């Protein structure tokens, strides 16, 4: 009991509230991180749609224009007529001044260089093809640079896409990890909650149920394992108090039963309870055709004791008689105070002869007793007893026969046992 008092207890609602609060904080943090990563993915997608894709389109346009410039330059060296070369120069000039080219510094510089070179070659060549042949190697170098620039521009567009996609992919991967972490957190919380419920609520409640089911005054006080839950402890303590109340009620019931069934002075059965028990014994003997004897006893000259020495002396004599009677009769015999100094007996499984021998021994033992009264005087009290066979008659008839035998004992001089000679039905 001392150990249970040392346990620090807490209320279940507070424990659950704290557990839920911790879970809410952790889960809320995980959700916030997931929301952050989700926003990063959305931002990456938006950046792809609003910036990267237009940039890729612009790079593609730059690459296409540079490729067209290379093709037009090739036509200048292949086409013989000056008029066709003039048209090619015009296209080259348009391409070089295109906004997509101008917005790309490297491409713009190369385009101006190509435009200047091709324009110079066209003016110098006129109709002379040899001039074109002379400058063709130089053109191949510029054409190679244009091709490389086209590749660079294309790679730049691809790199833009790759960078944004990598960013979005990284955000999605992070969100996946955080989502798994959140799921693991939920699983851990549920496991912890199940453990908490089973360990501190379900198992104690099952123990309480078992203890309540077997709660009885015949069993010891219920025992429970120490618990930190205040509500469970209160229920367990209530079970112990209930057991204590049952014990107290049983003691009270026994005491009330004794008061209802026992004579207050002698402790013997009172008349009402004696008659009820005697009726049961008589019926049982009649049902199984077994012998049974009833008797009536009276203390001789008891009124003289009260008149001479007082009622307190009479009470001492009655108590001493009851004590000796309780030590002398068998456990199966039934004895009760019938009224005043008169007592009644039932001897189950006994013929009148057997009951007479038992009553005679008791009469002799009682007559030999020196009873010391409160005033210091010792007295000897004798006893008259009447017995009757009850094997074939109702209890009232048998008691009347025994009472007649008792009066016959008084008439014959008292201090004796007389057996009624009346038949059961008389």
């Amino acid at each position: 009991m001392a150990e249970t008092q040392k346990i620090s207890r807490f209320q279940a609602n507070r424990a659950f509230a704290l557990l839920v609060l911790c879970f809410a904080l952790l889960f809320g943090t995980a959700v916030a991180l997931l929301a952050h990563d989700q926003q990063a993915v959305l931002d990456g997608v938006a950046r792809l749609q609003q910036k990267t894709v237009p940039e890729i389109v612009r790079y593609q346009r730059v690459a296409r224009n540079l490729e067209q410039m290379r093709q037009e330059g090739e036509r200048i060296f292949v086409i013989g007529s000056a008029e066709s070369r003039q048209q090619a120069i015009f296209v080259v000039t348009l391409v070089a001044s295109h906004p997509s080219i101008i917005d790309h510094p490297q491409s713009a510089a190369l385009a101006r260089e190509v435009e200047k070179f091709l324009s110079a070659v066209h003016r110098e060549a006129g109709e002379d093809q040899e001039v074109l042949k002379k400058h063709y190697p130089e053109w191949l170098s510029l054409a190679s640079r244009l091709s490389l620039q086209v590749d660079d521009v294309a790679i730049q567009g691809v790199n833009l896409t790759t960078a944004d996609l990598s960013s979005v992919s990284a955000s999605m991967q992070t969100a996946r990890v955080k989502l798994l972490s959140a799921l693991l957190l939920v699983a851990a919380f549920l496991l912890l909650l199940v453990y908490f419920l089973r360990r501190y609520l379900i198992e104690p409640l099952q123990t309480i149920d078992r203890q309540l089911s077997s709660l009885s005054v015949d069993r010891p006080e219920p025992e429970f394992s120490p618990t930190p839950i205040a509500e469970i402890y209160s229920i367990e303590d209530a079970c112990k108090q209930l057991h204590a109340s049952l014990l107290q009620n049983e003691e009270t019931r026994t005491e009330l039963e004794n008061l209802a069934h026992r004579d207050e002075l002698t402790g013997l059965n009172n008349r009402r309870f004696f008659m009820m028990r005697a009726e049961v014994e008589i019926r049982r003997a009649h049902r199984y055709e077994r012998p049974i004897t009833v008797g009536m006893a009276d203390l001789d000259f008891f009124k003289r004791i009260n008149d001479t020495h007082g009622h307190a002396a009479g009470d001492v004599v009655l108590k001493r008689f009851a004590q000796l009677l309780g030590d002398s009769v068998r456990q199966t015999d039934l004895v009760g105070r019938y009224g005043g100094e008169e007592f009644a007996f039932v001897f189950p499984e006994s013929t009148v002869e057997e009951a007479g021998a038992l009553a005679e021994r008791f009469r002799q033992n009682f007559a030999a007793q020196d009873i010391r009264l409160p005033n210091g005087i010792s007295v000897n009290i004798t006893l008259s007893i009447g017995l009757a066979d009850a094997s074939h008659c109702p209890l009232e008839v048998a008691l009347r026969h025994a009472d007649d035998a008792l009066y016959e004992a008084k008439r014959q001089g008292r201090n004796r046992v007389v057996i009624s000679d009346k038949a059961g039905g008389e």
Side-chain angles (χ1 to χ4, degrees), residues 175-299:
R176 181 182 180 184
V177 172
K178 292 178 181 178
L179 178 60
L180 290 176
S181 301
L183 292 177
L184 289 176
L185 179 63
V186 172
F189 173 77
L190 292 177
L191 288 175
L192 181 62
L193 182 62
V194 169
Y195 170 78
F196 184 87
L197 289 174
R198 181 173 181 82
R199 175 66 177 82
Y200 295 107
L201 288 180
I202 296 177
E203 290 182 356
L205 288 176
Q206 289 175 338
T207 302
I208 291 172
D209 178 67
R210 289 193 298 269
Q211 293 290 353
L212 285 176
S213 300
S214 60
L215 197 64
S216 171
V217 294
D218 300 328
R219 297 178 63 89
E221 181 184 67
E223 296 183 357
F224 303 98
S225 301
T227 176
I229 304 296
E231 290 85 351
I232 295 296
Y233 176 76
S234 297
I235 298 175
E236 294 173 349
D237 188 59
C239 291
K240 295 180 180 179
Q241 293 180 13
L242 177 60
H243 182 266
S245 297
L246 289 177
L247 290 178
Q248 185 177 3
N249 292 340
E250 179 65 16
E251 292 175 358
T252 303
R253 187 194 65 80
T254 303
E255 183 177 351
L256 291 174
E257 185 176 293
N258 288 334
L259 291 175
H261 297 167
R262 299 290 178 181
D263 177 67
E264 184 177 0
L265 178 64
T266 62
L268 299 176
N269 294 320
N270 59 27
R271 179 171 179 169
R272 183 184 64 83
F273 188 65
F274 169 82
M275 294 295 290
M276 182 176 65
R277 291 281 307 277
E279 186 68 34
V280 172
E281 291 295 334
I282 293 291
R283 290 179 180 177
R284 186 186 65 82
H286 291 175
R287 182 183 307 117
Y288 297 106
E289 298 182 353
R290 303 299 300 169
I292 187 170
T293 301
V294 299
M296 296 290 291
D298 187 81
L299 299 180

Side-chain angles (χ1 to χ4, degrees), residues 66-371:
L66 290 176
E67 179 62 23
Q68 186 175 4
M69 181 177 285
R70 188 191 66 79
Q71 291 174 0
E72 292 299 328
E74 192 68 26
R75 285 179 59 197
I76 290 174
F77 286 93
V78 173
I79 299 173
S81 67
E83 184 179 355
S84 298
R85 289 198 301 270
Q86 182 62 41
Q87 291 177 356
I89 290 296
F90 178 75
V91 173
V92 169
T93 301
L94 288 177
V95 171
S97 59
H98 195 275
S100 62
I101 297 295
I102 294 174
D103 291 339
H104 195 272
Q106 295 87 354
S107 298
L110 181 58
R112 286 194 297 272
E113 183 180 353
V114 171
E115 179 189 10
K116 186 184 295 185
F117 170 75
L118 291 176
S119 297
V121 170
H122 173 65
R123 287 193 300 270
E124 182 182 351
E127 297 294 337
D128 189 357
Q129 295 294 327
E130 294 299 325
V131 174
L132 294 176
K133 292 180 180 180
K134 181 180 70 172
H135 291 288
Y136 188 70
E138 190 175 353
W139 162 248
L140 290 177
S141 176
L142 282 174
S144 177
R145 289 172 61 192
L146 282 172
S147 297
L148 291 175
Q149 184 63 26
V150 169
D151 293 340
D152 290 341
V153 170
I155 290 173
Q156 288 178 5
V158 172
N159 287 340
L160 284 176
T161 306
T162 303
D164 286 341
L165 290 177
S166 297
S167 176
V168 172
S169 177
S171 297
M172 293 179 65
Q173 187 66 27
T174 303
R176 181 182 180 184
V177 172
K178 292 178 181 178
L179 178 60
L180 290 176
S181 301
L183 292 177
L184 289 176
L185 179 63
V186 172
F189 173 77
L190 292 177
L191 288 175
L192 181 62
L193 182 62
V194 169
Y195 170 78
F196 184 87
L197 289 174
R198 181 173 181 82
R199 175 66 177 82
Y200 295 107
L201 288 180
I202 296 177
E203 290 182 356
L205 288 176
Q206 289 175 338
T207 302
I208 291 172
D209 178 67
R210 289 193 298 269
Q211 293 290 353
L212 285 176
S213 300
S214 60
L215 197 64
S216 171
V217 294
D218 300 328
R219 297 178 63 89
E221 181 184 67
E223 296 183 357
F224 303 98
S225 301
T227 176
I229 304 296
E231 290 85 351
I232 295 296
Y233 176 76
S234 297
I235 298 175
E236 294 173 349
D237 188 59
C239 291
K240 295 180 180 179
Q241 293 180 13
L242 177 60
H243 182 266
S245 297
L246 289 177
L247 290 178
Q248 185 177 3
N249 292 340
E250 179 65 16
E251 292 175 358
T252 303
R253 187 194 65 80
T254 303
E255 183 177 351
L256 291 174
E257 185 176 293
N258 288 334
L259 291 175
H261 297 167
R262 299 290 178 181
D263 177 67
E264 184 177 0
L265 178 64
T266 62
L268 299 176
N269 294 320
N270 59 27
R271 179 171 179 169
R272 183 184 64 83
F273 188 65
F274 169 82
M275 294 295 290
M276 182 176 65
R277 291 281 307 277
E279 186 68 34
V280 172
E281 291 295 334
I282 293 291
R283 290 179 180 177
R284 186 186 65 82
H286 291 175
R287 182 183 307 117
Y288 297 106
E289 298 182 353
R290 303 299 300 169
I292 187 170
T293 301
V294 299
M296 296 290 291
D298 187 81
L299 299 180
D300 297 330
F301 302 110
F302 181 75
K303 186 174 184 301
R304 187 182 302 171
I305 296 293
N306 283 334
D307 294 341
T308 304
H309 303 284
H311 287 282
D315 290 345
V316 170
V317 172
L318 290 174
K319 288 180 181 179
R320 180 57 183 157
F321 172 78
Q323 180 182 0
L324 182 63
L325 188 59
D327 295 337
S328 301
V329 298
R330 302 167 301 182
Q331 283 187 337
T332 55
D333 297 333
L334 184 61
V335 182
R337 187 180 180 187
Y338 205 70
E341 70 276 13
E342 195 171 22
F343 298 85
F345 304 85
V346 174
F347 301 99
E349 300 292 332
S350 299
T351 63
V352 287
E353 291 77 12
E354 293 171 340
L358 179 62
E360 179 61 26
R361 286 196 301 270
F362 174 70
R363 183 197 65 76
Q364 293 176 6
N365 290 338
F366 184 68
Q369 294 290 316
D370 287 329
I371 302 176

Side-chain angles (χ1 to χ4, degrees), residues 293 351-357 385-389 401-402 405-406 408-409 417-422:
T293 301
T351 63
V352 287
E353 291 77 12
E354 293 171 340
I385 301 175
L387 299 177
D389 183 10
H401 292 171
L406 171 63
E408 179 63 22
V417 177
V418 174
I419 299 175
S420 174
D421 57 357
K422 295 181 180 180

